[in-house]
Amino acid sequence: MELLRLSLLFAVTAVAEIVGCYLPWLVVKQGKSFLLLLPAGLSLAVFAWLLTLHPTAAGRTYAAYGGMYIAVALLWLHFVDGIALTRWDALGAGIALVGMAVIALQPSVA
């Protein structure tokens, strides 16, 4: 159950980070309205706040989060950018998620 809770929190965190970076990309690369920078900033603030909800050390949280970020970024690539994923994408995401679980669920040291 803990893995599911952590995974969902990390997934929401990844979406917040990706949205916060994707909107400025649209402004710079596709000439979209600079007003997109406002929700981008809000999204990045939510991203930073979500990272504080983890009880473990910040560095360990960031390391574990990275695995979920890889998987969510590939889903973004498929569903938002419309690019088909390869079996190598799936394998890499799977490896990253295993790494996330190993880091996040390690036994605590007394």
Side-chain angles (χ1 to χ4, degrees), residues 2-87:
E2 181 65 13
L3 181 58
L4 179 60
R5 187 188 73 75
L6 282 172
S7 295
L8 289 173
L9 181 56
F10 278 145
V12 170
T13 304
V15 169
E17 182 180 11
I18 291 169
V19 167
C21 295
Y22 185 71
L23 295 177
W25 182 87
L26 289 175
V27 172
V28 172
K29 294 290 193 174
Q30 294 189 0
K32 302 292 184 185
S33 171
F34 73 93
L35 294 175
L36 288 176
L37 298 177
L38 296 173
L42 179 61
S43 188
L44 288 173
V46 168
F47 156 71
W49 173 74
L50 288 168
L51 284 174
T52 69
L53 299 180
H54 295 273
T56 189
R60 186 167 290 130
T61 296
Y62 303 152
Y65 163 71
M68 179 60 75
Y69 180 87
I70 291 167
V72 172
L74 288 169
L75 291 173
W76 185 277
L77 176 71
H78 179 71
F79 290 108
V80 175
D81 293 330
I83 296 175
L85 298 180
T86 67
R87 66 176 178 244

